[in-house]
Amino acid sequence: MKKTQIDLNSDMGEGFGPWTIGDGVDAQLMPLISSANVATGFHAGDPSTMRRTVEMAAALGVGVGAHPGFRDLVGFGRRHMHVGVDELVNDMLYQLGALREIAALDGVKLQHIKPHGALYMHVAQDEALARALVEALRKVDPQLFLFCMGGSVVHRLAQAAGQPVVREFYADRDYGSNGFIVFTRRVSALDPKAVAQKVLLACEQGVVKTVDGQTVAIEFDSVCIHSDTPGALALVQATRQLLDDRGVQVVGVNQLPLR
């Protein structure tokens, strides 16, 4: 079924102190998206950066979510770390709580949580971790949206438990024949027109082309374009323009018919 509305999300606040990651375009990206995943200190981000990012999002009516990662500043959270389930869940709750208090200063209620990088891929596949995370979210905030890959382990368990989920489509990542993204630590510059067409194809036909030349079905509610991808601003601008031209609205997740 052709989509007429989607959420558009991007990772934000992924600097640390005076350092920035990517092109440093958060301020230019924020008016173009509907959900911001705010780095919460373990893979990137610091309290002042978090506060500035929340303030920008609040001023523009952009939904704010926590973006917790592995405790890996050096590797930007894109290296898998062998950590126990309880410790990982505690780390994610710690980061969620930090952003919740920062957001409360501006009267902002957190909309969602989305694990970052290697942790996102880990919770998508590891049943013990996924179950423990979902159980924890049911206790601390049963209304908090969990951003995840459609069809993943954590998606299935969250749905079964009643935790609201938002399925993602990754515009700036490749897909394998299993319908899941191909995880990478580094992304090269991409063609904005090609990325925009990829998103439009997913919205209009519900499919994505894979790295091995196949076409597979994809179900999603939100499109992600990473702010640290080289040329991210051009990617988001081209995507928004094409979606606007084809009548696909970018809206907040609360306006979507989620399943």
Side-chain angles (χ1 to χ4, degrees):
M1 182 181 296
K2 179 180 177 180
K3 290 186 177 296
T4 57
Q5 294 180 321
I6 61 162
D7 175 68
L8 180 59
N9 78 82
S10 190
D11 304 342
M12 294 280 168
E14 289 187 318
F16 192 79
W19 293 278
T20 58
I21 190 76
D23 301 330
V25 291
D26 282 12
Q28 294 99 309
L29 287 174
M30 195 70 80
L32 302 173
I33 64 174
S34 48
S35 292
N37 318 309
V38 182
T40 46
F42 277 23
H43 77 279
D46 60 79
S48 293
T49 301
M50 291 161 63
R51 180 78 190 277
R52 289 194 301 270
T53 306
V54 169
E55 288 174 339
M56 280 196 296
L60 294 165
V62 174
V64 174
H67 198 37
F70 277 124
R71 195 187 296 264
D72 181 28
L73 278 175
V74 172
F76 193 61
R78 288 186 175 152
R79 301 182 297 186
H80 184 268
M81 304 183 74
H82 295 283
V83 182
V85 167
D86 289 346
E87 184 176 345
L88 284 177
V89 172
N90 291 339
D91 281 355
M92 284 188 272
L93 292 178
Y94 179 93
Q95 294 174 80
L96 173 66
L99 185 65
R100 192 192 304 276
E101 291 304 298
I102 291 288
L105 285 170
D106 292 296
V108 174
K109 179 176 172 57
L110 293 193
Q111 170 189 271
H112 67 277
I113 184 171
K114 173 184 170 178
H116 164 81
L119 185 56
Y120 181 94
M121 298 302 294
H122 187 36
V123 78
Q125 302 170 57
D126 187 283
E127 184 162 349
L129 176 59
R131 188 179 303 279
L133 174 60
V134 171
E135 289 175 354
L137 292 178
R138 296 302 297 158
K139 293 177 181 178
V140 301
D141 194 343
Q143 301 304 315
L144 193 69
F145 289 102
L146 174 62
F147 278 44
C148 57
M149 279 192 292
S152 65
V153 169
V154 72
H155 173 224
R156 173 174 55 82
L157 291 175
Q159 275 198 316
Q163 191 72 25
V165 293
V166 175
R167 303 165 298 175
E168 289 190 280
F169 176 73
Y170 278 81
D172 54 355
R173 295 292 188 268
D174 290 328
Y175 276 78
S177 57
N178 61 357
F180 289 172
I181 59 173
V182 178
F183 182 68
T184 183
R185 293 183 185 174
R186 288 194 172 188
V187 180
S188 301
L190 303 170
D191 178 8
K193 290 184 179 179
V195 169
Q197 287 292 339
K198 178 180 177 179
V199 174
L200 183 65
L201 180 68
C203 289
E204 293 191 338
Q205 299 184 32
V207 298
V208 62
K209 294 180 180 178
T210 68
V211 291
D212 54 0
Q214 299 184 50
T215 299
V216 297
I218 189 78
E219 294 187 356
F220 65 98
D221 311 295
S222 181
V223 173
C224 175
I225 298 178
H226 295 80
S227 64
D228 67 293
T229 297
L233 180 58
L235 300 183
V236 175
Q237 288 173 329
T239 299
R240 278 299 308 261
Q241 184 63 59
L242 186 57
L243 292 178
D244 290 346
D245 291 346
R246 298 299 284 265
V248 181
Q249 292 181 298
V250 172
V251 300
V253 294
N254 286 311
Q255 296 177 252
L256 296 174
L258 300 173
R259 291 185 294 169

